[in-house]
Every structure is written in structure tokens, then in C-alpha cells.
């Protein structure tokens, strides 16, 4: 049994883009949070979780890129740990993020408690970011893609344009096009972007359409869910901004995806264009 | 003459006297007039001078504005018809521009900083370097509102940006915050670079453990005496320094770490960067 779990863990570490991952954020670090090291974390986590759940099988491994992989097989006071449905958690020490797979509502508070005690943080909450590709959501939250700032030298941007300007052609909108490109890159980043695949906006706002009287007159807010799906959502949004389909500077609803590192938003009328911080009710 | 005869000779004398006195006074008045005229002329000249100065200043301002917008050549062409001495004016404009830039740079503590977003935010660039080589550059965008807020940055999440901002009171002293952040980033870059060099240059030394912030390093190397493996733990608890605060040796042979030469090695590792210290140890022959 031990070998099987070992192999399964190695398999998941090697190809992490198979299950559905959710991000959690740790808040309010204690004074010692910055100096927690691996062995201490491992001991503390195991002891705390075993205290909370009597029958549980925990395996902790440290990957070469300093990521700590935790495999948990849950049982309870009467049953043995169920190795068929393990939970995986990934954490980088000294960062406030934890990525977890399949977690039931009963298991979540137990795992949260163990994590808080072993990392010396005070609270944990949903980061409203989920996806199939662990590498993508991790890169987005930890900002591991190439971001662009206003003081990057403009010459770097022109590399991507056609290098041979035809003297007979005059590009009418060259100025506005380059501004759009620059703003798009500043919002979304340059080069390869993390492969986020979906974004969901849950709208609970008043219907606003001057041509449709019946809907606009309703006093109750109009609830709907808008979902964007793509193989690489951030790249498609960046392309929309560069080509002018989306107006620049990019609207806050779209720029919040890379800026806040979220892909689930609950939009209400209280703040005009920004998303409220209500956590997702889904797991 | 009739009046003279009617009033008398003495009254006539009195009249002549008055006339003679008047003739004496008038030349004084004319010299006074001349003086005043000379003063008027001088003031006129001064007025012309001041007018010319104002005009120069105005052109200087215009040139300064165009230097700021870096389109000086076009403006100069327009002005060349009006003035001689445009070369001098150009130089003066550039000089004052550079002086202002240097002063602004000094105010901000020497960081590369530019205005963005219609002057509502600034973007600060922090460069890191170690041993003469430039490493990563980190950027911060700070919103300039009544409460300063960092809106966008590419600083890695293991550098505690928010606590550093609170610690150095970013609202009142941006320079102190930037300095503290720069210290942390440079120290981190230094430690990361040391780790990279150790991995590259010392194939016989194994890195047993490290962490993303590079504040803990556990190395294993072989001591040349008796060929025993020694576990060396380097603890960098001061995150603003790239030298360890604690060095610990562990060995199967418990006497080895207590020997005087290994105690020396301990102090060597506390005082010199890891890769240099290991090089020294290897050259001396104490490790393989």
C-alpha cells in the first residue's frame, strides 16, 4: 500500500495538470511566519492534523523547486484512511498561498486549522482562483510571468512589430495602436502568460438597458453568470486589448484577473465596476 | 520807466536786484533739469535691459519646456530667426533641466522613478546587484493619492512587502521604505547568487536543503582528514544581510567540529560569502 501511494504521489507531482486545483490564501502572519522551515513545518503539520483527525495518512515531500507537496488520505474515528480519494496540497514556505485539490466541506476546516498552526498565520480564506493547471494558477498568484511596467524601455516593445517598414505604406493609426499594445502588455504582461482557462463572473446587478423597458423597470437585481473559456484566457484578453476589441485602459473587471490573481468574481451594484470580496461558495 | 519815476529809485534797485537773483537761480534749475533728464535716460536704458532679460527668460522657459518634452530642435528652429545666441540659450535651458533632475533624483534617494497614469502614480525601479553584476530588477507602481498605495509590483511573494511598508511608515517616508525594500531585495539576490555559484562551482558539495527565500542552507561536504562527511548548516536570520548569522557543523566524529581549525572554518563562513569560503577551504585542502 505504501508503494502504491508513493507512486501515485510521484505521478501527481510529475503531471499536476490533471485534477482541479483551488487556491487558498493565508492572512495575518505571526512574528515567526517568516522563519518557518521545512522540517519544523512537516512535524507541526503532521502532529496537528493527527490531533484533529484520528485516522489520517499524511505524506509530505519537498520538490526541487522548494514546493512542499502534501498527500492526505482521510479517515475518521471509525474508518481507516480512504486512499481512493486523497487530497493534495501544495505550499511554498514563506508565501501566503496554498493550492488544494478535492476537499469536502467537512475536511476543509480541519486542513485549514492544521495549515494555520504549522505556518504561523492567523486566518485562511478562499483566493477565488481555481483551474486545472496547477502551474498556471501558481504562476499567476506568485507573479511568475513577465510583467511589464511603464518604465520598461519602449524599444523592447517594437521588437515584436514587423521589422521592415515599407516606405510606401503609411500606418494611419500607428500611434494609437502602439499605445493600445503598451497598455495591454502593462495589464496582462509580456511574453508567455499563465494558462488560465476559465473566468466566471456572477452578476447580481440591476439590469441596465434603455431599449428594454420591462427588464429595466424591475426592482429586483438581475442575476446571471458570465463565463469566459479559452485555452489561454489571458493571452486572448491581451490580444483583444491590443487589437482594440476591448477598450484600453483595460476595464477593472478584466484587469482584476492578473492584478488580483482571481478568476471568480461576484459583482454587485454597491461598487460600480469592481468586484466585491465575497468568497466563493463553491469548492 | 514811468513806474520807476513814480515809485522811486530804491524800488527800482530792488526790482533789478530781484531780476539779477532770478538770473542766478535759473541756471541751477536747468542743471537740475539736465540731471533729471539724465536720470530719465538711465531709467529708460534700465527698462530696456529688464525687458530684454524678461524676453530671454521667456525663451528660456519655452526652451526648457521643449527640452522636457525632448523636442528641442524643432523649437530652436522656430526661434533662430528671432534671436542670436540661441546656442547659449539652449545650453542654459539644458543646464537648468539637468540641475532639476539631479535634485529630484537626490530627493528620491537615487532610484529610477518615472511618472505614469497622467501623473496619478509613480513607477519605481529597484535594481539588485551582487559582486559587480546586475541581477534582477524589480518594479513598483505607487498610487499618489492622500493615502499612498502600492498598486502593481513584481516583487516575489516571499518578500513581506506589506509588513515592510508598515514598518518603515510608507505614508510619511517613502525614501525609508524604498531603502528597506532595496536592502531586502539586494540581500535576497546576493544569497540566491551565492547558492547558484556554489551549485555551479562545487560539484562535490551537495546542497541538502534550501528554501525559496534562501535563508537556510544545508550543505554536505567531505573533510579531507579521514574523509568524513560534514553537514554544514547556514542560518541567515537577518534578511537584510547576505552573510549567515549562524554556522553549525555536524559530523559523525563528534571531535571534528570542536577542533580549533574547524572553529576557524566556522568564523570564516560567518565572514565571507559561501562560494568564496568554500573556495578557500578547498584550496587549503581541508575539504574535497
Amino acid at each position: 500500500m505504501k508503494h502504491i501511494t508513493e507512486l501515485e504521489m510521484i505521478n501527481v507531482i510529475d503531471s499536476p495538470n490533471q485534477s482541479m486545483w483551488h487556491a487558498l490564501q493565508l492572512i495575518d502572519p505571526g512574528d515567526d511566519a517568516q522563519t518557518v522551515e521545512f522540517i519544523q513545518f512537516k512535524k507541526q503539520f503532521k502532529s496537528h492534523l493527527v490531533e484533529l483527525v484520528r485516522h489520517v495518512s499524511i505524506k509530505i515531500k519537498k520538490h526541487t523547486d522548494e514546493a512542499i507537496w502534501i498527500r492526505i488520505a482521510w479517515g475518521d474515528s471509525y474508518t481507516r484512511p480512504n486512499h481512493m480519494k486523497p487530497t493534495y496540497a501544495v505550499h511554498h514556505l514563506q508565501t501566503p498561498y496554498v493550492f488544494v485539490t478535492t476537499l469536502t466541506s467537512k475536511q476543509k476546516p480541519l486542513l485549514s486549522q492544521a495549515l494555520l498552526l504549522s505556518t504561523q498565520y492567523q486566518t485562511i480564506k478562499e483566493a477565488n482562483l481555481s483551474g486545472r493547471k496547477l502551474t498556471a494558477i501558481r504562476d499567476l498568484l506568485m507573479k511568475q510571468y513577465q510583467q511589464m511596467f511603464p518604465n520598461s524601455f519602449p524599444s523592447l516593445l517594437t521588437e515584436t512589430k514587423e521589422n521592415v517598414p515599407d516606405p510606401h505604406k503609411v500606418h494611419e493609426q500607428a500611434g494609437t495602436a502602439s499605445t493600445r499594445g503598451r497598455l495591454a502588455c502593462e495589464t496582462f504582461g509580456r511574453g508567455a502568460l499563465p494558462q488560465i482557462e476559465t473566468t466566471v463572473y456572477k452578476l447580481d446587478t440591476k439590469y441596465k438597458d434603455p431599449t428594454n423597458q420591462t427588464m429595466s423597470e424591475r426592482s429586483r437585481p438581475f442575476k446571471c453568470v458570465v463565463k469566459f473559456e479559452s485555452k489561454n484566457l489571458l493571452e486572448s484578453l491581451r490580444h483583444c486589448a491590443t487589437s482594440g476589441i476591448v477598450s484600453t485602459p483595460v476595464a477593472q473587471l478584466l484587469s482584476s484577473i492578473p492584478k488580483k490573481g482571481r478568476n471568480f468574481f461576484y459583482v454587485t451594484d454597491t461598487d460600480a465596476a469592481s468586484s466585491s470580496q465575497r468568497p466563493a461558495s463553491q469548492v | 520807466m514811468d513806474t520807476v519815476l513814480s515809485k522811486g529809485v530804491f524800488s527800482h534797485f530792488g526790482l533789478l536786484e530781484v531780476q539779477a537773483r532770478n538770473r542766478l537761480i535759473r541756471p541751477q534749475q536747468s542743471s537740475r533739469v539736465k540731471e533729471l533728464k539724465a536720470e530719465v535716460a538711465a531709467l529708460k536704458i534700465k527698462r530696456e535691459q529688464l525687458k530684454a532679460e524678461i524676453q530671454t527668460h521667456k525663451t528660456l522657459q519655452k526652451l526648457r519646456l521643449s527640452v522636457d518634452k525632448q523636442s528641442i530642435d524643432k523649437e530652436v528652429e522656430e526661434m533662430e530667426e528671432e534671436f542670436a545666441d540661441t546656442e547659449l540659450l539652449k545650453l542654459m535651458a539644458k543646464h537648468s533641466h539637468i540641475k532639476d533632475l539631479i535634485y529630484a533624483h537626490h530627493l528620491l534617494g537615487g532610484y529610477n522613478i518615472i511618472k505614469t497614469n497622467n501623473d496619478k502614480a509613480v513607477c519605481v525601479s529597484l535594481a539588485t546587484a551582487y559582486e559587480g553584476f546586475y541581477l534582477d530588477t524589480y518594479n513598483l507602481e505607487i498610487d499618489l493619492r492622500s493615502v499612498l498605495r502600492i498598486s502593481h509590483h513584481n516583487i516575489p511573494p516571499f518578500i513581506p512587502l506589506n509588513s515592510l511598508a508598515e514598518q518603515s511608515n510608507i505614508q510619511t517616508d517613502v525614501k525609508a521604505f524604498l531603502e528597506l525594500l532595496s536592502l531586502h531585495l539586494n540581500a535576497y539576490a546576493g544569497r540566491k547568487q551565492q547558492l547558484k555559484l556554489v551549485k555551479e562551482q562545487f560539484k562535490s558539495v551537495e546542497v541538502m536543503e534550501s528554501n525559496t527565500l534562501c535563508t537556510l542552507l544545508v550543505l554536505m561536504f567531505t573533510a579531507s582528514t579521514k574523509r568524513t562527511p560534514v553537514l554544514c548548516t547556514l542560518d541567515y536570520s537577518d534578511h537584510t544581510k547576505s552573510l549567515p548569522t549562524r554556522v553549525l557543523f555536524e559530523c559523525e566524529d563528534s571531535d571534528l567540529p570542536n577542533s580549533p581549525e574547524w572553529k576557524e572554518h566556522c568564523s570564516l563562513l560567518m565572514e565571507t560569502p559561501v562560494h568564496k569560503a568554500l573556495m578557500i577551504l578547498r584550496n587549503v585542502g581541508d575539504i574535497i
Side-chain angles (χ1 to χ4, degrees):
Chain A
M1 196 54 178
K2 219 174 155 192
H3 293 296
I4 299 175
T5 51
E6 181 93 26
L7 284 171
E8 189 200 51
M9 194 161 177
I10 296 175
N11 187 31
V12 174
I13 295 178
D14 271 337
S15 48
N17 300 333
Q18 301 299 324
S19 357
M20 198 62 182
W21 293 88
H22 304 277
L24 300 170
Q25 188 171 2
L26 299 160
I27 311 185
D28 295 331
D31 294 323
D32 292 330
Q34 277 284 311
T35 51
V36 172
E37 51 102 18
F38 177 54
I39 298 180
Q40 176 193 358
F41 170 81
K42 192 166 154 176
K43 247 197 283 184
Q44 295 239 322
F45 183 79
K46 275 190 173 165
S47 68
H48 285 301
L49 198 57
V50 164
E51 235 182 85
L52 293 167
V53 186
R54 292 243 336 264
H55 290 273
V56 66
S57 163
I58 311 172
K59 224 179 179 48
I60 303 188
K61 241 192 186 6
K62 194 161 180 234
H63 200 47
T64 42
D65 62 353
E66 314 296 339
I68 301 179
W69 283 77
I70 309 172
R71 180 186 186 279
I72 308 169
W74 303 89
D76 54 31
S77 345
Y78 306 107
T79 58
R80 303 194 68 194
N82 183 359
H83 284 279
M84 290 297 124
K85 291 198 191 129
T87 304
Y88 282 93
V90 181
H91 176 55
H92 287 255
L93 278 177
Q94 274 97 44
T95 62
Y97 305 111
V98 184
F99 305 97
V100 293
T101 57
T102 49
L103 203 57
T104 65
S105 46
K106 264 201 233 161
Q107 295 161 352
K108 190 152 171 246
L110 303 166
L111 177 62
S112 311
Q113 181 80 333
L115 278 170
L116 285 175
L117 288 168
S118 44
T119 54
Q120 313 259 3
Y121 277 81
Q122 307 283 345
T123 356
I124 191 169
K125 69 161 189 161
E126 284 281 342
N128 287 320
L129 179 66
S130 51
R132 286 217 149 239
K133 301 208 164 150
L134 175 67
T135 37
I137 60 176
R138 190 182 52 194
D139 287 347
L140 185 70
L141 267 185
M142 314 251 259
K143 309 254 197 257
Q144 297 281 29
Y145 55 97
Q146 224 186 0
Q147 290 186 62
M148 202 181 109
F149 286 89
N151 54 6
S152 316
F153 294 111
S155 57
L156 288 171
L157 194 59
T158 56
E159 279 171 31
T160 54
K161 284 199 180 152
E162 306 92 48
N163 290 332
V164 185
D166 194 335
H168 300 293
K169 287 194 208 165
V170 173
H171 198 164
E172 281 274 325
Q173 303 206 331
T176 45
S178 69
T179 322
R180 278 202 306 260
R182 184 176 58 86
L183 285 171
C185 282
E186 272 179 32
T187 320
F188 294 106
R190 226 190 320 156
L193 295 175
Q195 291 184 327
I196 305 293
E197 287 176 339
T198 57
T199 305
V200 173
Y201 295 92
K202 229 176 169 175
L203 298 170
D204 196 0
T205 54
K206 198 141 178 351
Y207 194 92
K208 288 189 186 103
D209 185 1
T211 57
N212 192 338
Q213 283 286 358
T214 37
M215 292 299 281
S216 313
E217 272 165 12
R218 272 195 185 179
S219 53
R220 284 174 312 190
F222 181 70
K223 294 193 181 196
C224 83
V225 174
V226 179
K227 188 172 181 185
F228 289 101
E229 263 190 50
S230 162
K231 247 176 133 179
N232 189 336
L233 191 68
L234 290 174
E235 245 186 65
S236 12
L237 286 173
R238 183 176 64 185
H239 184 75
C240 285
T242 331
S243 55
I245 298 172
V246 170
S247 60
T248 47
V250 183
Q252 203 173 357
L253 279 172
L254 290 173
S255 65
S256 301
I257 306 172
K259 287 222 155 102
K260 297 190 183 163
R262 300 168 59 152
N263 67 355
F264 179 85
F265 299 90
Y266 188 80
V267 184
T268 56
D269 268 330
T270 46
D271 17 35
S274 65
S275 44
S276 68
Q277 291 291 324
R278 242 179 75 174
S281 52
Q282 67 183 12
V283 167
Chain B
M1 284 314 272
D2 288 341
T3 47
V4 171
L5 289 169
S6 61
K7 283 188 184 167
V9 179
F10 280 122
S11 59
H12 186 65
F13 274 144
L15 221 86
L16 285 173
E17 209 179 22
V18 169
Q19 275 183 10
R21 221 178 283 145
N22 283 345
R23 264 198 216 110
L24 278 172
I25 293 171
R26 248 182 251 132
Q28 280 185 14
Q29 273 185 348
S30 68
S31 68
R32 179 99 182 99
V33 164
K34 271 192 201 149
E35 272 176 31
L36 288 171
K37 275 191 179 159
E39 239 185 273
V40 163
L43 283 170
K44 273 190 180 161
I45 293 172
K46 223 179 163 189
R47 186 182 69 180
E48 292 304 312
Q49 266 184 357
L50 285 170
K51 268 190 182 167
E53 263 182 51
I54 289 172
Q55 193 60 20
T56 331
H57 222 72
K58 275 191 184 154
T59 47
L60 250 176
Q61 288 276 58
K62 252 175 135 177
L63 280 174
R64 242 317 281 283
L65 273 173
S66 56
V67 164
D68 285 342
K69 289 183 196 149
Q70 289 166 355
S71 59
I72 188 169
D73 293 317
K74 207 172 77 167
E75 293 280 332
V76 167
E77 274 169 33
E78 282 172 14
M79 266 178 249
E80 259 177 32
E81 298 105 42
E82 297 171 25
F83 286 94
D85 294 331
T86 41
E87 284 300 317
L88 183 63
L89 286 176
K90 226 183 2 178
L91 281 173
M92 281 173 72
K94 275 196 176 152
H95 175 75
S96 68
H97 177 69
I98 290 175
K99 255 174 62 178
D100 283 347
L101 273 181
I102 291 174
Y103 184 57
H105 212 233
H106 170 76
L107 275 178
L108 296 159
Y111 300 105
N112 201 5
I113 190 167
I114 66 161
K115 288 190 295 190
T116 65
N117 196 13
N118 302 324
D119 298 350
K120 285 189 217 150
V122 283
C123 188
V124 190
S125 197
L126 294 164
T128 54
Y130 187 66
E131 291 194 335
F133 288 102
Y134 267 113
L135 300 166
D136 301 316
T137 314
Y138 298 99
N139 296 296
L140 276 173
E141 255 190 71
I142 306 179
D143 268 342
L144 298 170
R145 278 185 253 180
S146 49
V147 177
L148 286 180
R149 195 179 68 93
I150 302 171
S151 55
H152 191 202
H153 65 87
N154 64 349
I155 294 174
F158 39 80
I159 306 270
L161 195 61
N162 291 326
S163 64
L164 283 180
E166 273 171 49
Q167 205 181 335
S168 56
N169 213 351
I170 188 178
Q171 304 301 331
T172 47
D173 199 353
V174 186
K175 199 165 146 185
F177 162 68
L178 289 174
E179 282 205 17
L180 187 58
L181 183 61
S182 182
L183 261 180
H184 268 88
L185 288 171
N186 271 292
Y188 162 66
R191 295 194 299 266
K192 196 166 84 161
Q193 185 71 352
Q194 285 178 43
L195 181 60
K196 188 174 135 201
L197 290 170
V198 164
K199 281 185 181 163
E200 278 173 18
Q201 294 174 0
F202 300 95
K203 300 291 180 194
S204 58
V205 175
E206 240 186 272
V207 177
M208 305 297 290
E209 203 182 310
S210 61
N211 63 357
T212 28
L213 192 47
C214 296
T215 48
L216 180 71
L217 195 57
V218 180
L219 301 169
M220 185 154 90
F221 39 76
T222 356
S224 47
T225 55
K226 299 181 201 168
R227 305 233 161 198
T228 43
V230 180
L231 205 67
C232 172
T233 310
L234 295 161
D235 213 352
Y236 298 83
S237 35
D238 188 353
H239 294 194
T240 56
K241 298 257 163 62
S242 54
L243 287 173
T245 46
R246 198 174 67 107
V247 176
L248 195 66
F249 287 117
E250 275 163 42
C251 187
E252 280 171 4
D253 175 7
S254 50
D255 291 331
L256 194 72
N258 294 327
S259 61
E261 45 183 41
W262 280 91
K263 285 215 167 130
E264 254 186 60
H265 295 332
C266 202
S267 52
L268 177 73
L269 279 165
M270 295 248 308
E271 283 156 24
T272 44
V274 182
H275 58 294
K276 288 200 176 135
L278 287 177
M279 185 68 84
I280 293 173
L281 290 177
R282 191 162 67 180
N283 290 342
V284 169
D286 271 341
I287 64 168
I288 299 172

